[in-house]
Amino acid sequence: MVHMIKDFWESRRLIWKLSKNDFKTRYAGSYFGVVWAMIQPVVIVLVYWFVFQIGLNNATAELKKGISVPFVLWLVSGIVPWFYFSESLSNGTNALLEYSYLVKKVVFNIDILPLVKTIAALFIHVFFVAFMLLLFALYGYWPGLHTLKLVYFSGCLMLFVTGLCMLTSSLVVFFRDLSQIINIFLQVGIWMTPIMWSLEDLLVKYPVLIVLKLNPLCYIVYGYRATLFQTGSIASLGWMNLYFWAVTILLWVVGSGVFRRLKIHFADVL
């Protein structure tokens, strides 16, 4: 893991250049270009907002006991980090397959390819964070110094998904069905994460559902909401801080280890 982190640092300029190029070429040839990357998530948010707030008459959501907030803000603060996670995992898993022509080059450091994908996804994520802050400001939740905590939680999310992508990208070379499994996982995962429903409300009736807090994305969603609604600090998340970083470090150890062991076979299989 330490060796891979060192490679990332030494190749930082190349990583940044490839990330920008990956972002640009993804929408090359279309009339609206990168606008499509922004339209789809916005449409999804509007659909969920219409279904839950208009259709099901959920005008507000309970953030904490006795604290209700506008549902649209509660929804956006949870779904924006999910969009980044979903795009990073999907693209990062297929990084080696997409850049197979680089994998076959002996002199190219293929360790950086999963990281290139997660950094490329940050460009759209920054846009949605800005959109989210504007939406919050319209409802009277003005950004301030507390907003800087979003940088921390976004960084946590990027590190987590990069470690996961190192593992999945190395396995998908030998087991192509993993891409389809991950797509199904993402479709189910959004409902297993407290994005459109309140875990605190369910715990009142079903205390056993406390296990859902073991989902690392739960820590990120809670962090985003605590930051944007100013209802708590990073320390207020308690044990979830230690748990998230333990899982992230474990993912990096396992992911980098598997990647290093299998990469000598990548060129032959691809």
Side-chain angles (χ1 to χ4, degrees):
M1 185 183 69
V2 174
H3 185 69
M4 186 166 284
I5 292 174
K6 183 180 178 182
D7 283 349
F8 289 162
W9 175 252
E10 292 176 348
S11 306
R12 60 190 182 278
R13 292 183 180 177
L14 177 60
I15 291 172
W16 179 248
K17 184 177 180 180
L18 286 175
S19 299
K20 290 192 296 182
N21 185 67
D22 182 271
F23 177 72
K24 292 177 181 178
T25 56
R26 194 179 309 169
Y27 306 99
S30 61
Y31 285 108
F32 294 101
V34 297
V35 175
W36 287 115
M38 304 170 188
I39 290 178
Q40 183 179 0
V42 169
V43 170
I44 293 174
V45 170
L46 290 175
V47 169
Y48 286 145
W49 169 78
F50 180 82
V51 170
F52 286 96
Q53 182 164 324
I54 306 301
L56 299 179
N57 197 28
N58 290 332
T60 61
E62 188 172 4
L63 185 64
K64 284 187 175 182
K65 189 174 182 180
I67 302 178
S68 295
V69 296
F71 179 80
V72 64
L73 299 185
W74 189 80
L75 170 65
V76 169
S77 59
I79 206 168
V80 164
W82 174 265
F83 283 150
Y84 173 73
F85 172 76
S86 177
E87 182 180 3
S88 295
L89 182 57
S90 297
N91 295 333
T93 296
N94 296 313
L96 298 178
L97 302 179
E98 183 177 341
Y99 288 104
S100 59
Y101 60 93
L102 293 179
V103 176
K104 296 175 182 179
K105 290 186 177 181
V106 179
V107 295
F108 186 80
N109 182 11
I110 63 174
D111 296 4
I112 67 174
L113 292 179
L115 181 59
V116 165
K117 288 294 186 179
T118 57
I119 291 180
L122 275 178
F123 295 111
I124 295 298
H125 183 63
V126 170
F127 164 79
F128 278 109
V129 168
F131 169 77
M132 180 173 60
L133 292 177
L134 175 62
L135 190 61
F136 268 75
L138 293 176
Y139 276 83
Y141 295 90
W142 295 96
L145 291 177
H146 66 278
T147 311
L148 293 176
K149 287 186 288 185
L150 290 179
V151 177
Y152 164 77
F153 286 109
S154 295
C156 290
L157 182 55
M158 189 190 76
L159 289 173
F160 171 76
V161 74
T162 299
L164 184 58
C165 286
M166 284 192 291
L167 177 62
T168 58
S169 63
S170 58
L171 295 177
V172 77
V173 174
F174 305 93
F175 182 58
R176 301 296 176 92
D177 292 349
L178 182 60
S179 293
Q180 305 304 322
I181 294 174
I182 286 177
N183 288 334
I184 296 174
F185 162 76
L186 291 174
Q187 293 176 15
V188 176
I190 191 172
W191 298 102
M192 296 299 292
T193 307
I195 294 173
M196 288 165 281
W197 50 271
S198 173
L199 179 56
E200 306 305 323
D201 290 344
L202 287 180
L203 290 178
V204 175
K205 297 181 180 180
Y206 311 103
V208 69
L209 293 180
I210 189 69
V211 297
L212 291 178
K213 285 193 174 183
L214 297 179
N215 176 0
L217 271 296
C218 189
Y219 171 73
I220 302 298
V221 171
Y222 274 44
Y224 266 66
R225 287 175 177 160
T227 298
L228 293 166
F229 291 110
Q230 302 185 53
T231 57
S233 61
I234 296 174
S236 67
L237 294 175
W239 64 270
M240 295 179 73
N241 287 293
L242 296 176
Y243 172 77
F244 175 84
W245 282 110
V247 172
T248 300
I249 293 172
L250 179 62
L251 266 179
W252 271 73
V253 171
V254 175
S256 60
V258 171
F259 195 99
R260 288 277 175 172
R261 285 178 178 271
L262 296 180
K263 75 173 186 177
I264 59 174
H265 304 292
F266 291 160
D268 296 333
V269 175
L270 293 172

